[in-house]
């Protein structure tokens, strides 16, 4: 038996050779060996009893996993639109120059790899990067050069943390330079909290009464879709199945959002308590927090909080001395895949598979994780649950607007003076939000991240709530100097990269939308391209299989509606009626290369 | 079971059986809903989206959506047909489909659907991806240029052949069919008699040395459009 084989067998054995724990296995192998090689895939497949192509499918699905060796240190520079606005391209250039490699490459000595990452949840302190699991923020080209010099002297990324962030970022188990940037503390999520109080009240009631309270509070899911939480729990409780599950969606991947990061850092107890209450309400014994790979730096801390809760009798057997109520929580790490924030893709990933969304019906409430009835809620939703039980549904429903009870955490970033997290009551207008954030001169605001909508000043008096401007939390501000079409192009590139590729419209349609927007930006669009884009976007929206493809056309659709002049200026007919859609020199480029000479038509 | 669920497809009342999908109910009623990844006797996959219909105004894939009472299904409006036409066109430009020299021509479901929808040339730009041909197996070849990622081979190999020869790797535009070996098809236990080979809707998964056994002009869709077998069952 080779050393590698023995080591991988041990990794598999540690999770009971359970194929549903494939994610843990491949992550451990990647951490230890810098890749999950073909040989490693063979061993894993044999150990857990699955075809090797299944394991290969998993490894090839997630950004943080690789069949080819990566460096001992991987620098992942965040490349979302906010980071670009804050100068991440200069940082990128500095990294590439200092390392002597391009993005996607590894230094010849196998020490350092350089990659781009989609949003890593640090838009309020951009440009930022992950160095293995260590977050570095507020980067400049000088800082990048300094990082490379330090890594060359000592490859331990922990040494890059010169000063610690506020709050629990300085906790011994976190030790990160991340800042919380909490600007407004509302009464629900960010207020002080007595651990265990809501839970003790819950177990004094019947599960049906707990669900009734959640319904009375009119709590709707904070992930963005806004499904009534009490109803979801009731469906799950009533579905048939031996094992039920509570899943917490901590895969905060929507570019521009980082409010779950702050909750996970400062109020994990509130979230775990909400999950435990859900477990009691639906009759589950197992809870899983699906933590995005980008937030791995919080894992040890969260494990410690869980351990403390076990010691306090808030998790484990007979929780809160309630005879027969057993519930515990484990953390499932993701590995870099935006689509896993989609609840059925999240379930696939928890089951150790590719993060492909599933067909619905059946819905997770009927048949979710390992085919058991499953509740999937967002981090913030579970926090609201704890507070509803602690303070009562009436108290909760008092704040907010008519159709949207409670408060909402907003992550605000971009062209504003005070980026950060704001807990505000639903019904607040976008203008009030922008004033608070110091962005009164905003020209365009993306509400709800790339999958949301881009609105202009005429919409600034609209309200943040489920019935008007819905958002999972991301608010990106663009000043008058920004190019709206460039924003659209960036978002489409993001969706192309993050599509799982399962269904045709999303896999192909996003590529086609990006191609045409690029044509238009390059000044080679035609007036007819606007109808073309409209129809293409509508097809992708209508026919895609999951929320990713059903919302990825939104940047195109909302800008065609709200910023049409930006398109029209670029596709305007010239005086002579000529549009350079077709570029002869490009069309004959390949032929010229083969023949070794320039065409007579193009060598001007 | 005698109980039926009444649904309406294009204004026609259809008595569906409980547990049926919209597509199954339509097939039984002699109403053709275009499809590519769906294959009778395989677990529905819901990937190609060609079978998209409007159910009470909302788009749904007919192959995975179970029937429910009061469903009013639109399978033929201009809107639905536009969606489908666009998806078929996407499949053409995403790969490298050269019908004129593909030995599957006339038996190809993608080509046949294009004919049925009157697509002579796609309006989308060709993406011309670089894809390989795997001819390592003595009796079978895989041409990824023509693959539409319908997963029929994946499902048939797993559920009918009991072999798991095929699976998916990569994601987004880089998603592709892979084989259960460290290199290529020659390293798997695939056999020319596998069900997985019979059900490829396009010319991606082919048996060697039998390409033109039936001459062009006498093939499945040379004389009648795809779907007419279902539609003629209605006439009887």
């Amino acid at each position: 038996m080779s050393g590698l084989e023995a080591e991988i067998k041990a990794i598999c054995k540690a999770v009971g050779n359970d194929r549903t724990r494939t994610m843990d296995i491949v992550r451990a192998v990647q951490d230890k060996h810098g890749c999950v090689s073909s040989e490693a895939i063979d061993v894993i497949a044999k150990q857990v009893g699955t075809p090797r192509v299944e394991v290969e499918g998993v490894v090839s699905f997630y950004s943080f996993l690789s069949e080819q060796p990566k460096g001992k240190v991987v620098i992942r520079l965040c490349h979302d639109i906010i980071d670009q606005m804050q100068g991440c391209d200069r940082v990128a250039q500095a990294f590439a120059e200092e390392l002597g490699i391009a993005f996607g490459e590894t230094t010849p000595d196998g020490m350092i790899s350089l990659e781009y990452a989609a949003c890593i949840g640090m838009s309020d302190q951009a440009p930022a990067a992950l160095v293995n699991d260590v977050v570095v923020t507020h980067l400049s080209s000088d800082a990048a050069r300094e990082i490379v010099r330090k890594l060359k002297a000592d490859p331990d990324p922990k040494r890059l943390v010169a000063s610690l962030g506020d709050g629990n970022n300085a906790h011994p188990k976190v030790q990160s330079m991340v800042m919380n940037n909490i600007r407004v503390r509302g009464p629900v999520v960010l207020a002080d909290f007595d651990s265990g109080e809501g839970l003790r009240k819950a177990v004094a009631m019947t599960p049906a009464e707990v669900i009734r309270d959640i319904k009375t509070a009119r709590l709707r899911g904070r992930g963005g879709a806004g499904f009534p939480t009490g109803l979801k729990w009731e469906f799950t409780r009533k579905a048939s199945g031996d094992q039920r599950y509570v899943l917490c969606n901590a895969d905060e991947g929507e570019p521009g959002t980082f409010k779950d990061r702050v909750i996970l850092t400062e109020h994990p107890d509130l979230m775990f308590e909400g999950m435990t209450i859900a477990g009691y309400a639906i009759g589950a014994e197992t809870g899983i927090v699906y933590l995005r790979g980008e937030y791995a730096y919080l894992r040890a801390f969260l494990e410690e909080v869980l351990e403390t809760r076990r010691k306090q009798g808030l998790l484990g057997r007979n929780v809160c001395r309630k005879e027969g109520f057993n519930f515990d929580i484990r953390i499932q790490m993701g590995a870099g895949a935006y689509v896993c924030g989609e609840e059925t893709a999240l379930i696939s990933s928890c089951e150790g598979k590719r993060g492909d969304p599933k067909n619905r019906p059946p819905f997770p409430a009927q048949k979710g994780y390992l085919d058991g009835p499953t509740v999937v809620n967002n981090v913030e939703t579970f926090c609201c649950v704890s507070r509803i039980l602690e303070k009562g549904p009436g108290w909760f429903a008092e704040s907010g607007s008519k159709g949207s009870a409670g408060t909402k955490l907003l992550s605000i970033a971009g062209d504003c003076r005070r980026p950060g997290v704001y807990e505000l009551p639903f019904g607040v207008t976008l203008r009030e939000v922008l004033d608070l954030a110091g962005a009164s001169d905003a020209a365009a605001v993306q509400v709800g991240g790339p999958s949301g909508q881009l609105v202009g000043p005429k919409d600034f008096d609209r309200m943040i709530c489920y019935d008007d401007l819905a958002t999972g939390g991301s608010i990106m501000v663009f000043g008058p100097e920004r190019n709206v079409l460039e924003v659209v192009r960036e978002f489409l590139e993001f969706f192309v990269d993050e599509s799982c590729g399962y269904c045709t419209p999303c896999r192909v349609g996003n590529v086609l939308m990006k191609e045409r927007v690029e044509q238009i930006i390059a000044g080679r669009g035609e007036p007819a391209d606007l109808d073309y884009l409209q129809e293409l976007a509508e097809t992708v929206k209508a026919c895609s299989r999951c929320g990713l493809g059903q919302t990825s056309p939104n940047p195109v659709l909302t800008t065609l509606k709200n910023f049409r002049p930006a398109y029209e200026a670029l596709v305007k007919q010239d005086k002579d009626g000529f549009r350079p859609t077709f570029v002869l020199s490009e069309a004959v480029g390949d032929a010229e290369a083969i023949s070794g000479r320039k065409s007579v038509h193009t060598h001007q | 079971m005698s109980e039926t669920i009444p649904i309406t497809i294009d204004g026609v009342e259809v008595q569906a059986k409980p547990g049926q999908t919209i597509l199954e109910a339509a097939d039984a009623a002699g109403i053709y809903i275009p499809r590519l990844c769906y294959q009778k006797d395989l677990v529905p996959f819901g990937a190609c989206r060609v079978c998209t219909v409007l159910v009470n105004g909302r788009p749904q894939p007919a192959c995975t959506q179970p029937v429910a009472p009061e469903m009013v299904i639109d399978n033929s409006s201009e809107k639905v047909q536009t969606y489908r036409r666009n998806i078929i066109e996407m499949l053409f430009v995403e790969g490298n489909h050269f019908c004129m020299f593909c030995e599957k021509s006339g038996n190809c479901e993608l080509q046949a659907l294009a004919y049925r929808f009157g697509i002579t040339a796609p309006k989308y730009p060709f993406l011309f991806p670089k894809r390989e041909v795997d001819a390592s197996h003595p009796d079978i070849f895989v041409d990824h240029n023509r693959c539409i990622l319908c997963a029929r081979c994946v499902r048939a190999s797993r559920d009918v052949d009991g072999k798991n020869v095929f699976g998916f790797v990569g994601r987004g535009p880089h998603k592709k069919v892979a084989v259960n070996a460290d290199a290529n098809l020659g390293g798997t236990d695939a056999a020319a008699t596998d069900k997985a080979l019979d059900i490829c809707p396009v010319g991606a998964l082919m048996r060697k040395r039998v390409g033109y056994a039936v001459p062009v002009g006498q093939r499945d869709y040379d004389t009648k459009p795809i779907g007419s077998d279902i539609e003629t069952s209605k006439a009887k």
Side-chain angles (χ1 to χ4, degrees):
Chain A
M1 202 187 326
S2 74
L4 176 82
E5 194 179 340
E7 222 166 61
I8 293 173
K9 279 186 172 169
I11 289 172
C12 296
K13 209 172 158 207
V15 292
N17 292 324
D18 181 352
R19 65 191 286 181
T20 71
R21 301 298 288 272
T22 299
M23 279 295 279
D24 296 326
I25 296 169
V26 290
R27 274 192 62 101
V29 174
Q30 175 82 40
D31 281 351
K32 199 144 196 190
H33 298 278
C35 68
V36 188
S37 65
S38 185
E39 189 190 348
I41 287 173
D42 268 331
V43 180
I44 296 167
K46 223 165 276 165
Q47 280 310 109
V48 305
T50 192
R52 67 157 278 141
V53 69
E54 296 269 318
V55 181
E56 196 184 346
V58 170
V59 172
S60 63
F61 191 88
Y62 299 91
S63 302
F64 290 5
L65 304 173
S66 167
E67 260 192 76
Q68 306 309 320
K70 285 188 184 174
K72 284 205 173 4
V73 178
V74 182
I75 300 173
R76 293 188 174 89
L77 178 64
C78 185
H79 197 248
D80 69 15
I81 183 85
I82 302 294
D83 286 65
Q84 288 186 47
M85 283 156 51
Q86 310 287 346
C88 98
D89 287 340
R90 286 195 303 277
V91 177
Q93 200 186 343
F95 270 128
E97 277 173 15
E98 206 64 28
L99 288 165
I101 52 171
F103 276 75
E105 291 180 355
T106 301
T107 52
D109 60 0
M111 282 307 290
I112 303 175
S113 296
L114 193 52
E115 291 180 6
Y116 282 119
C119 187
I120 63 169
M122 302 289 159
S123 298
D124 54 336
Q125 38 216 304
L130 284 170
V131 184
N132 288 354
D133 291 342
V134 172
V135 185
V136 285
T137 60
H138 289 302
L139 291 173
S140 61
S141 45
D142 284 349
R145 290 179 202 283
E146 182 65 24
I147 284 170
V148 173
R149 273 196 292 275
K150 279 187 182 167
L151 286 175
K152 279 180 176 167
D154 179 349
D156 181 5
K158 284 201 186 75
R159 294 179 61 93
L160 300 175
V161 180
S163 61
L164 297 176
D166 56 342
N168 282 332
N169 289 299
H171 188 282
K173 295 276 180 183
V174 183
Q175 297 280 296
S176 90
M177 66 192 287
V178 176
M179 298 296 288
N180 286 325
N181 288 327
I182 298 173
R183 308 285 179 178
V184 177
R185 275 179 202 274
V188 179
V189 179
L190 296 178
D192 290 337
F193 166 68
D194 282 331
S195 194
E197 200 165 324
L199 182 57
R200 275 186 286 272
K201 286 187 180 164
V203 298
M205 301 193 257
T206 67
E209 285 168 342
V210 172
I211 293 176
R212 188 202 58 204
D213 268 10
I214 301 298
K215 285 165 113 175
T216 309
R218 292 185 284 118
L219 174 64
R220 294 172 69 173
R222 266 36 178 169
F227 192 82
T229 306
L231 207 55
K232 189 187 265 187
W233 290 15
E234 193 169 76
F235 288 151
T236 314
R237 179 168 183 81
K238 286 183 177 163
S240 58
D242 299 336
Q243 292 288 328
R244 284 147 210 286
Y245 302 94
V246 176
L247 266 53
C248 175
N249 186 345
D251 189 66
E252 179 170 55
E254 195 71 44
T257 179
F258 44 84
K259 48 106 185 167
D260 288 350
R261 178 197 87 210
V262 173
I263 295 175
L264 290 162
T265 309
E266 297 303 322
H267 288 263
D269 262 310
L270 194 62
M271 174 189 82
F272 289 138
E273 183 142 328
M275 290 177 70
T276 314
I277 294 167
Y280 178 70
I282 68 158
E285 294 198 344
T286 305
I288 301 173
V289 176
Y290 187 86
L291 184 65
R292 66 192 306 233
E294 291 83 347
Y295 291 170
Y297 75 101
L298 292 169
R299 183 183 184 171
F301 167 67
L302 294 172
E303 299 278 13
E304 188 178 85
V305 176
L306 284 173
E307 196 47 47
T308 307
R309 290 184 75 81
R310 284 183 199 111
K311 284 185 188 139
Q312 293 168 336
L314 301 173
L315 282 175
R317 298 199 64 76
N318 302 325
V319 175
C320 281
R321 300 212 186 96
K322 178 81 177 179
E323 201 62 37
F325 173 39
N326 308 321
F327 187 80
D328 210 335
I329 297 172
R330 76 170 171 92
I331 293 174
Q332 174 65 59
M333 291 305 301
Y338 167 77
V339 72
C340 288
E342 199 278 346
E343 61 175 0
T344 61
L346 184 146
I347 290 170
S348 297
S349 189
C350 284
E351 291 170 339
K353 300 181 203 153
R354 295 164 56 82
D356 288 327
K358 300 176 186 233
N359 285 317
R360 277 162 298 194
F363 289 88
Q366 306 157 273
K367 222 175 164 189
Y369 177 64
L370 303 179
D371 288 344
T374 302
V375 151
V376 186
N377 279 134
N378 172 268
V379 170
E380 190 183 342
T381 314
F382 283 122
C383 291
C384 295
V385 163
S386 302
R387 207 63 90 171
I388 289 166
L389 268 294
E390 181 197 342
K391 302 231 180 189
W395 172 85
F396 182 84
E398 264 170 27
S399 55
S401 70
K402 195 158 171 276
S404 312
T407 62
K408 182 78 194 85
L409 260 62
L410 302 175
S411 320
I412 306 178
D415 294 323
C416 61
R417 285 197 302 281
R418 290 181 292 277
V421 174
Y422 294 72
E423 184 180 358
L424 300 168
F426 272 115
V428 66
T429 67
L430 186 52
R431 192 179 303 282
E432 289 169 303
V433 172
L434 293 172
D435 284 345
L436 280 172
S440 308
D441 63 339
V445 183
Q446 184 77 26
V447 183
S451 66
Q453 43 186 325
L454 188 65
V455 298
K458 73 171 168 50
D459 287 320
F460 286 178
D461 288 316
R462 290 175 62 186
M463 290 191 294
I464 305 282
C465 64
Y466 294 105
D467 307 311
D468 193 2
L469 287 173
T471 172
S474 168
I475 307 255
M476 298 173 170
V477 185
F478 302 105
E481 71 281 15
R482 308 292 175 189
N483 180 346
V484 167
L485 264 63
E486 197 50 51
V487 174
V488 173
R489 198 200 72 81
E490 273 308 314
F491 288 166
L492 288 173
E493 183 157 317
F494 170 77
F495 287 122
V496 168
D497 285 345
E498 297 297 333
S499 165
C500 79
Y502 192 105
C503 72
T504 314
C506 178
R507 185 181 67 238
V508 190
N510 286 316
V511 175
L512 295 175
M513 280 189 281
K514 174 170 165 265
E515 180 270 348
R516 196 49 51 105
V517 169
E518 282 173 346
Q519 290 274 341
I520 292 172
I521 291 174
R524 287 201 246 130
E526 300 203 6
D529 283 343
L530 305 193
D531 293 337
Y532 167 101
L533 272 177
Q534 182 81 30
E535 186 189 299
L536 175 58
E538 280 171 10
T539 302
V540 175
K541 195 175 178 68
C543 300
S544 287
R545 186 162 169 270
C546 82
L548 194 154
Q550 287 160 7
T551 58
S552 64
N554 284 350
V556 169
L557 289 169
T558 63
T559 49
L560 279 174
K561 182 167 167 250
N562 298 331
F563 296 90
R564 204 169 180 89
Y567 287 90
E568 283 167 345
L570 286 167
V571 299
K572 215 165 43 191
Q573 290 283 359
D574 289 353
K575 284 199 300 289
D576 54 5
F578 175 75
R579 291 302 305 164
T581 306
F582 177 76
V583 179
L584 183 60
S585 56
E586 272 182 25
V588 299
D590 286 349
E592 286 179 340
I594 292 165
S595 65
R597 62 186 174 80
K598 283 279 185 189
S599 158
V600 291
H601 297 291
T602 60
H603 62 76
Q604 61 268 33
Chain B
M1 206 185 297
S2 62
E3 225 172 285
T4 60
I5 297 173
I7 59 172
T8 309
I9 305 178
D10 293 338
V12 178
E13 186 155 309
V14 170
Q15 295 300 322
K17 292 183 193 144
Q20 273 185 328
T21 61
I22 293 171
L23 192 137
E24 286 166 343
D27 276 4
I31 298 169
Y32 175 64
I33 299 177
R35 78 288 303 265
L36 272 172
C37 69
Y38 174 85
Q39 172 78 9
K40 201 171 178 301
D41 303 328
L42 295 182
V43 183
F45 199 63
C48 76
R49 317 305 279 186
V50 171
C51 70
T52 299
V53 290
L54 297 180
V55 181
N56 302 333
R58 286 172 60 99
Q60 298 283 3
C63 71
T64 60
Q65 188 66 34
V67 290
E70 313 298 321
M71 275 183 167
V72 177
I73 293 155
D74 168 6
N75 174 49
S76 63
S77 68
E78 186 50 39
K79 192 173 177 185
V80 168
Q81 298 294 59
T82 301
Y83 290 156
R84 292 171 180 167
R85 198 180 298 118
N86 290 347
I87 289 169
I88 295 163
E89 293 191 11
M90 286 182 199
L91 289 168
F92 271 102
V93 302
E94 178 197 29
N96 299 309
H97 295 276
F98 300 111
C99 296
M100 64 293 273
F101 67 68
C102 178
E103 64 189 71
K104 189 83 170 194
S105 197
N107 285 332
C108 170
E109 294 177 36
L110 178 65
Q111 180 196 44
L113 271 177
Y115 283 139
R116 191 173 164 124
F117 278 83
I119 299 168
T120 49
K123 60 179 165 287
Y124 301 131
F126 284 101
L127 299 175
F128 297 124
K130 282 199 165 57
R131 295 189 184 174
E132 5 31 295
V133 177
D134 177 355
S136 58
H137 191 284
D139 302 318
I140 309 164
F141 72 87
V142 185
D143 186 348
H144 291 282
N145 289 290
R146 308 176 203 169
C147 177
I148 57 166
L149 305 168
C150 68
R152 283 196 195 175
C153 59
V154 177
R155 288 172 282 163
S157 182
R158 181 189 65 203
D159 301 336
V160 184
D161 300 326
K163 286 185 175 180
N164 287 301
V165 171
F166 304 100
F168 285 116
V169 296
R171 77 178 188 210
H174 307 293
K175 183 177 182 175
K176 65 172 204 168
V177 166
V179 295
N180 194 34
D182 61 358
N184 48 40
L185 192 65
T188 68
D189 55 353
T193 48
D194 284 357
K195 176 76 175 171
L197 273 100
D198 296 327
I199 45 73
C200 179
V202 289
L205 190 52
M206 302 283 281
R207 292 189 179 87
K208 291 180 178 177
R209 298 178 295 276
V210 294
Y212 290 88
V214 178
V216 170
Q218 297 171 27
R219 297 182 172 191
D220 288 351
Y221 308 116
D222 285 339
T223 50
K224 51 187 192 313
I226 190 167
S228 33
D229 51 337
I230 291 167
E231 285 166 331
T232 47
S233 74
K234 185 187 180 185
K236 281 174 199 165

